[in-house]
């Protein structure tokens, strides 16, 4: 008689959470009441504070090596996450925002024993009566591109990020390798992905300052940050890590019609980690090696459709190798099937340049298809399930399939 | 009553000729008088409700959408007052359609009442998209994103209950629509005062729904031609 494989315990826990929290109307009323009670005012309403939470329970089933920013040794992984958001406004001009998270890593599996982090905090000043100019200082999401504005679990139609924001390339921030040959071999060793970098690491909550605003049909945002878009989360905190270099980024947006949003972004600055960069050519400094990123984005929304598209080109100046270019694109659509249920589809594509003398691509051209279905039980409870299939040209040691489920409570 | 009076008038006119003109006119006058008296025979309920205190405007979340124009203040809190009888049987109005605008990044009105069988439209008067939706069991809908002055789909309300309506883009926007079986309802003014005319005599349960979703209840008796004074307190 064939022996049945026991259900993995993370799946059992996830199913139990779904059953208890998903359809429970009473539980949702409690969440509604908690949500409404977490606001305070002082000084006749001139100071207001609001505390809110997102509680995600995610479950991943992935082939080794898993796609994207998943660092898991087993094929199954349970990622619980509690994110707390504090918003304080003082008068019409000043706003303070902070986001703390308790989870098993900013990206699933990067801290399997759990950690508590202050991922985002900033002070914002609005000197004018409208939103023509907003100054911000602190640690906050990048202004580059369009995805960071929908990256929280409640707003993201999917569970994972688009490939441009999470698919690690065989570029690292430690200055290695020492030669073109070893660099070209690196892409066949995905077990070392922990040291690799994506073009943009998620929302890139990096310390810095920004000015942004909106004038009629146009909007703008410029920022100076202490690390590059591709920097690992442990380098995002400019206070803890120190301010060694400035990275610039900006985005210009245009709304030709209410349905359309178009944007163009840039980012430029050194991407190597000054603490680990070794083996650099004589006479050069880690500051000499930049990441240059350019992007265009478009979004369309009308009725029950929302669509996004981005095209991002990145160039990494790799020590001892040269300038490595990659082009990544995504097209994403979400359609509300009913008032509470939606389906979404995302196409991710990436192309890699050739290394000069060797005439060999430094990465494997790849595509990934993401499919997701989501359901909102109420304004406070949401569930999603996602399937992703990835394919790469040539030797493909990375896993092709990923299934993920996510339950989110918002209060 | 008007219909009966008209039939009688015609019949008298036809059967007795012009000699009956004066009698017919007199009877018509009496019938009209009876009709007017009957209309005034229903009672009126008048009073006040102890309202919720105004809430401070919501704190914008960190990722709040930047709006082209300033967000206007919410409406002052009011109450919905309605009467229920013991039988639960009520005359039906027909064709009532509420217009709930999105204007200044608020619902106007943000607190409304409608009889079962009625409907609502949600015209967008702002220069930017709104996405009106409700997950209430009484009526679930999602209108999607639509622009200024684009025709709004009409939402029918077939079941009684409270429908909580929101905007997916502007999370501070909220609207409560109470769907009731009774045709005797009104909304108070900002001071809590209300008048409910044309209520047939009888015993009723007066209910006052506050924006906090708390319902105040009071038993009243309505008499023909009389004004019943009520003070609804907590």
């Amino acid at each position: 008689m064939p022996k049945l494989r026991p259900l993995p315990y993370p799946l059992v826990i996830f199913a139990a959470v779904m059953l208890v929290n998903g359809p429970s109307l009473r539980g949702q009323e409690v969440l509604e009441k908690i949500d409404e009670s977490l606001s305070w005012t002082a000084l006749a309403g001139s100071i207001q504070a609001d505390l809110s939470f997102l509680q995600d329970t995610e479950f991943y089933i992935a082939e080794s090596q898993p796609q994207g920013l998943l660092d898991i040794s087993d094929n199954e992984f349970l990622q619980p996450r509690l994110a707390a958001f504090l918003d304080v406004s003082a008068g019409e001009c000043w706003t303070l925002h902070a986001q703390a998270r308790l989870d098993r890593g900013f990206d699933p599996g990067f801290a399997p024993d759990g950690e508590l982090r202050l991922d985002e905090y900033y002070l914002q000043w609005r000197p004018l009566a409208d939103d023509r100019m907003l100054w911000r200082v602190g640690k906050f999401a990048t202004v580059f591109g369009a995805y960071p504005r929908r990256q929280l679990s409640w707003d993201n139609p999917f569970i994972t990020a688009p490939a441009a924001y999470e698919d690690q390339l065989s570029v690292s921030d430690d200055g290695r390798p020492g030669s073109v040959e070893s660099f070209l071999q690196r892409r066949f060793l995905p077990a070392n992905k922990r040291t690799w970098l994506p073009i943009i690491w998620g929302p890139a909550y990096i310390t810095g300052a920004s000015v942004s605003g909106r004038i009629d049909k146009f909007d703008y945002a410029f920022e100076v940050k202490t690390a590059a878009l591709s920097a690992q989360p442990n380098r995002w905190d400019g206070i803890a890590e120190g301010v060694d270099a400035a990275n610039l980024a900006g985005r210009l947006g245009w709304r030709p019609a209410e349905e359309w949003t178009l944007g163009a972004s840039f980012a430029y600055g050194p991407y190597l980690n000054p603490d680990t960069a070794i083996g650099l050519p004589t006479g050069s400094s880690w500051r000499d090696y930049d990441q240059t990123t350019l992007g265009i984005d478009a979004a369309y929304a009308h009725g029950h459709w929302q669509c996004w598209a981005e095209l991002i080109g990145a160039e990494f100046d790799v020590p001892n190798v040269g300038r490595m270019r990659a082009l990544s694109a995504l097209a994403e659509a979400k359609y509300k099937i009913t008032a509470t249920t939606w389906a979404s589809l995302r196409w991710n594509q990436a192309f890699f340049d050739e290394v000069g003398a060797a005439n060999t691509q430094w990465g494997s051209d790849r595509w990934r298809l993401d499919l997701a279905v989501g359901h909102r039980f109420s304004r406070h409870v949401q569930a999603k399930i996602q399937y992703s299939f990835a394919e790469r040209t040539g030797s493909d040691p990375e896993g092709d399939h990923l299934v993920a489920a996510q339950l989110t409570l918002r209060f | 009553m008007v219909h009966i009076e008209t039939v009688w008038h015609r019949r008298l006119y036809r059967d007795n000729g012009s000699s009956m003109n004066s009698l017919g006119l007199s009877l018509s006058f009496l019938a009209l008088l009876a009709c007017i008296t009957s209309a005034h025979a229903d009672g009126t309920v008048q009073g006040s409700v102890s309202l919720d205190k105004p809430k401070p405007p919501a704190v914008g979340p960190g990722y709040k959408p930047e709006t082209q124009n300033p967000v206007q203040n919410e409406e002052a809190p009011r109450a919905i007052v309605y009467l229920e009888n013991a039988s639960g049987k009520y005359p039906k109005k027909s064709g009532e359609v509420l217009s709930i605008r999105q204007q200044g990044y608020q619902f106007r009105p943000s607190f409304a009442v409608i009889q079962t069988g009625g409907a609502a439209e949600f015209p967008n008067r702002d220069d930017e998209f709104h996405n009106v939706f409700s997950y209430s069991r009484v009526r679930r809908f999602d209108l999607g994103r639509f622009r200024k002055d684009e025709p709004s789909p009409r939402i029918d309300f077939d079941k009684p209950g409270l429908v909580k309506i929101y905007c997916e883009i502007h999370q501070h926007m909220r609207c409560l629509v109470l769907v009731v079986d009774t045709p005797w309802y009104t909304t108070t003014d900002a001071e809590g005062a209300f008048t409910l005319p044309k209520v047939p005599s009888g015993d009723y349960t007066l209910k006052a729904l506050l924006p906090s979703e708390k319902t105040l209840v009071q038993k009243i008796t309505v008499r023909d031609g009389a004004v019943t004074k009520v003070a609804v307190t907590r």
Side-chain angles (χ1 to χ4, degrees):
Chain A
M1 190 173 166
K3 192 176 177 182
L4 289 175
R5 188 178 169 222
L7 280 172
Y9 82 93
L11 180 59
V12 175
I13 295 172
F14 181 78
V17 172
M18 284 287 289
L19 284 172
V20 170
N21 288 307
S24 164
L25 187 65
R26 184 173 295 174
Q28 292 170 32
E29 286 171 356
V30 169
L31 292 175
E32 182 110 33
K33 287 201 166 25
I34 293 173
D35 186 27
E36 289 174 358
S37 66
L38 294 175
S39 294
W40 301 271
T41 59
L43 300 176
S46 59
I47 295 181
Q48 299 173 39
D50 183 77
L51 188 61
S52 56
F53 295 90
L54 273 181
Q55 197 269 309
D56 296 323
T57 307
E58 295 168 356
F59 181 69
Y60 296 90
I61 303 173
E63 270 188 316
S64 301
Q65 288 286 323
Q67 307 167 12
L69 289 168
L70 274 174
D71 188 27
I72 57 179
S73 49
D74 296 328
N75 288 345
E76 297 95 14
F77 189 79
L78 182 72
Q79 164 81 324
R81 165 175 290 165
L82 179 66
F85 302 86
L86 175 67
D87 289 286
V88 181
S89 68
E92 295 290 317
C93 301
W94 294 93
T95 307
L96 176 73
H97 174 79
Q99 179 192 170
R101 293 186 188 185
L102 175 65
D103 53 28
R104 301 178 73 188
F106 184 86
D107 298 292
F110 279 64
D113 298 329
E115 67 178 5
L116 175 66
R117 301 177 312 277
L118 187 57
D119 276 335
E120 188 183 29
Y121 52 86
Y122 62 77
L123 184 67
Q124 184 168 281
W125 178 48
R126 190 175 70 162
L128 306 173
D130 52 25
D131 286 343
R132 273 178 295 166
M133 187 184 287
L134 299 166
W135 292 92
R136 184 181 285 187
V137 61
K139 183 172 177 285
F140 50 89
T142 181
V143 301
F144 188 100
Y147 168 72
R149 284 187 285 282
R150 63 177 190 282
Q151 49 93 16
L152 291 176
S153 59
W154 192 261
D155 306 312
N156 185 359
F158 297 87
I159 297 168
T160 61
Y165 292 81
E166 69 153 27
D167 193 25
Q168 289 160 292
L169 317 179
S170 53
V171 172
S172 62
D173 61 6
D174 57 8
R176 295 186 180 93
S179 67
V180 173
E181 290 71 27
S182 53
F183 178 71
L184 290 175
Q185 282 303 312
R186 188 187 262 182
R187 62 190 160 133
F188 302 119
L189 303 168
N192 298 330
K193 272 176 68 177
R194 187 69 177 259
T195 62
W196 297 5
L197 304 176
I199 295 175
I200 307 166
W201 198 301
Y205 291 130
I206 300 168
T207 302
S210 75
V211 58
S212 62
R214 180 171 176 171
I215 301 167
D216 195 23
K217 293 182 180 299
F218 299 90
D219 58 78
Y220 68 91
F222 298 99
E223 67 183 16
V224 55
K225 295 283 188 75
T226 58
L229 291 179
S230 61
Q232 300 185 43
N234 60 14
R235 294 190 53 219
W236 288 354
D237 189 341
I239 295 173
E241 296 294 307
V243 180
D244 297 310
N247 281 262
L248 304 173
R251 181 180 179 276
L252 293 174
W254 176 42
R255 280 179 179 262
E258 195 53 36
E259 290 87 350
W260 287 96
T261 305
L262 306 174
S265 307
F266 79 94
Y268 177 78
Y271 73 98
L272 294 183
N273 184 345
D275 298 331
T276 58
I278 55 172
L280 301 179
T282 309
S284 69
S285 154
W286 61 271
R287 286 191 178 84
D288 300 331
Y289 299 93
D290 296 310
Q291 176 188 351
T292 306
T293 315
L294 298 173
I296 53 174
D297 60 83
Y300 171 83
H302 191 255
H304 295 110
W305 283 98
Q306 281 179 273
C307 306
W308 299 269
E310 290 190 55
L311 182 64
I312 298 170
E315 182 185 86
F316 293 89
D317 194 357
V318 180
N320 305 308
V321 179
R323 295 183 181 275
M324 300 295 103
R325 295 189 186 93
L327 186 67
S328 185
L330 70 99
E332 183 175 325
K334 172 186 174 184
Y335 180 72
K336 287 179 185 168
I337 303 164
T338 69
T340 51
T341 304
W342 76 85
S344 38
L345 181 149
R346 182 167 60 204
W347 180 265
N348 307 270
Q349 181 91 46
F351 301 100
F352 295 82
D353 207 356
E354 294 176 345
V355 177
N359 259 355
T360 307
Q361 285 184 302
W362 65 277
S364 306
D365 289 348
R366 61 193 65 179
W367 58 264
R368 194 181 85 195
L369 178 68
D370 302 323
L371 300 165
V373 176
H375 181 82
R376 283 194 178 159
F377 296 94
S378 73
R379 287 180 73 231
H380 303 280
V381 184
Q382 169 181 283
K384 285 183 255 178
I385 187 160
Q386 175 181 332
Y387 169 70
S388 296
F389 179 75
E391 195 63 74
R392 298 160 194 82
T393 57
S395 175
D396 184 6
E398 293 185 57
D400 293 338
H401 304 276
L402 169 75
V403 176
Q406 181 188 62
L407 177 72
T408 301
L409 308 184
R410 185 178 74 156
F411 54 97
Chain B
M1 292 295 288
V2 173
H3 175 70
I4 293 168
E5 179 274 327
T6 307
V7 173
W8 281 4
H9 188 188
R10 285 177 186 160
R11 188 174 295 164
L12 286 167
Y13 222 101
R14 189 181 61 234
D15 294 348
N16 300 297
S18 58
S19 62
M20 295 298 288
N21 275 1
S22 57
L23 178 61
L25 282 171
S26 303
L27 283 172
S28 299
F29 177 73
L30 287 172
L32 187 62
L33 194 64
C35 179
I36 293 166
T37 311
S38 168
H40 278 276
D42 290 341
T44 298
V45 182
Q46 206 169 58
S48 64
V49 179
S50 174
L51 297 175
D52 289 333
K53 288 179 183 171
K55 280 197 305 185
V59 181
Y63 289 96
K64 71 167 182 143
E66 292 155 3
T67 53
Q68 280 184 17
N69 300 304
V71 176
Q72 292 178 7
N73 288 335
E74 292 179 36
E75 291 177 333
R78 295 162 195 265
I80 290 168
V81 178
Y82 58 105
L83 302 178
E84 290 180 337
N85 59 26
S87 70
K89 292 177 180 167
Y90 303 101
K92 284 280 180 194
K93 295 181 182 176
S94 62
E96 188 181 11
V97 180
L98 281 175
S99 178
I100 300 175
R101 309 178 313 278
Q102 299 110 69
Q103 192 164 3
Y105 309 97
Q106 301 287 1
F107 287 110
R108 311 280 187 202
S110 60
F111 200 44
V113 55
I114 193 169
Q115 193 180 23
T116 46
E121 292 175 342
F122 298 87
N124 181 0
R125 299 282 182 257
D126 284 323
D127 293 330
E128 294 171 80
F129 272 149
H130 288 290
N131 188 152
V132 179
F133 75 94
S134 170
Y135 294 150
S136 297
R137 284 192 170 181
V138 173
R139 189 67 171 93
R140 280 188 179 148
F141 63 90
D142 188 316
L143 302 185
R145 284 154 202 253
F146 57 97
R147 60 155 76 193
K148 187 177 188 178
D149 296 331
E150 202 175 332
S152 146
R154 184 174 286 189
I155 299 298
D156 298 321
F157 295 103
D158 298 325
K159 294 180 195 164
L162 189 61
V163 183
K164 300 178 184 181
I165 298 169
Y166 304 93
C167 174
E168 189 181 67
I169 302 167
H170 309 96
Q171 291 177 21
H172 67 276
M173 290 175 63
R174 52 191 64 201
C175 172
L176 293 179
V177 173
L178 180 66
V179 187
V180 291
D181 285 327
T182 174
W184 304 300
Y185 54 77
T186 189
T187 306
T188 70
D189 64 18
E191 276 70 50
F194 71 91
T195 301
L196 262 173
K198 298 180 183 176
V199 180
S201 61
D203 294 328
Y204 293 93
T205 302
L206 182 149
K207 293 184 176 177
L209 176 72
L210 303 173
S212 59
E213 297 177 39
K214 185 175 183 178
T215 302
L216 307 175
V217 179
Q218 199 160 320
K219 297 281 185 190
I220 63 164
T221 300
V222 177
R223 292 193 171 80
D224 282 345
V227 176
T228 306
K229 297 276 186 183
V230 191
V232 186
T233 54
R234 288 152 198 267

